[in-house]
Amino acid sequence: QVQLQESGPGLVAPSQTLSLTCTVSGASITTKMYYWGWIRQPPGKGLEWIGAFPWNGSPYSSPSLKSRTSISRDTSKNQFTLRLSSVTPEDTGVYYCARHYGPPALSTTPVRSPDWGQGTQVTVSS
C-alpha cells in the first residue's frame, strides 16, 4: 500500500518561496502509468491541482500557478518537491501530495483517494 507524507515549513513569509517535500513509501515514483502531484485547499475554498509529473517525463502545472511553480523529483530518495515562489497570503492552505493513475486533468477538481498524503498546513504571514 502506497503511503505519502508531506513535510516542510508551516509558516512562510510573504514574497518568499514555499518548499514542500513528499516522501513516498510502498511504491516507486518511477512505476509506469502513475503520475505524482500536488494539490491544495485554501481556507473556505475547494481543492485545486497545482501540478504533476509522470513516472517518465516532465512536470506540468496549472496555468494559474505555472509562472511560480517548480516541481522536481529525487528518484534515489523516492521523493518529490514543490516550490512555489513569491507567495502571498492567498497561498495559505492545506497542501497535499498525491498519486494518480494516468494523467490528471489539472483543470478539474481533485477527488480524494487513499493515494494522498494526510496534508500539511501552510500559512503565509509575516
Side-chain angles (χ1 to χ4, degrees), residues 1-102:
Q1 179 179 356
V2 66
Q3 292 185 320
L4 298 90
Q5 179 66 58
E6 306 88 352
S7 60
L11 180 65
V12 183
S15 81
Q16 298 304 302
T17 296
L18 177 163
S19 183
L20 296 174
T21 296
C22 182
T23 300
V24 179
S25 60
S28 170
I29 63 174
T30 61
T31 302
K32 191 175 182 180
M33 293 307 298
Y34 281 99
Y35 286 63
W36 305 83
W38 291 95
I39 296 157
R40 71 178 184 179
Q41 184 168 28
K45 297 184 179 180
L47 294 161
E48 64 173 343
W49 281 100
I50 299 171
F53 66 92
W55 79 100
N56 66 345
S58 300
Y60 56 104
S61 306
S62 169
S64 64
L65 297 169
K66 184 177 181 179
S67 64
R68 299 194 290 129
T69 301
S70 174
I71 297 175
S72 60
R73 79 188 88 181
D74 186 337
T75 56
S76 67
K77 296 181 179 179
N78 215 35
Q79 295 176 332
F80 57 100
T81 298
L82 167 70
R83 291 184 174 84
L84 184 66
S85 63
S86 304
V87 297
T88 72
E90 285 67 42
D91 293 309
T92 293
V94 180
Y95 284 71
Y96 302 90
C97 58
R99 183 177 76 164
H100 193 278
Y101 186 79

Side-chain angles (χ1 to χ4, degrees), residues 101-115:
Y101 186 79
L106 300 188
S107 61
T108 63
T109 301
V111 177
R112 288 184 182 273
S113 84
D115 291 357

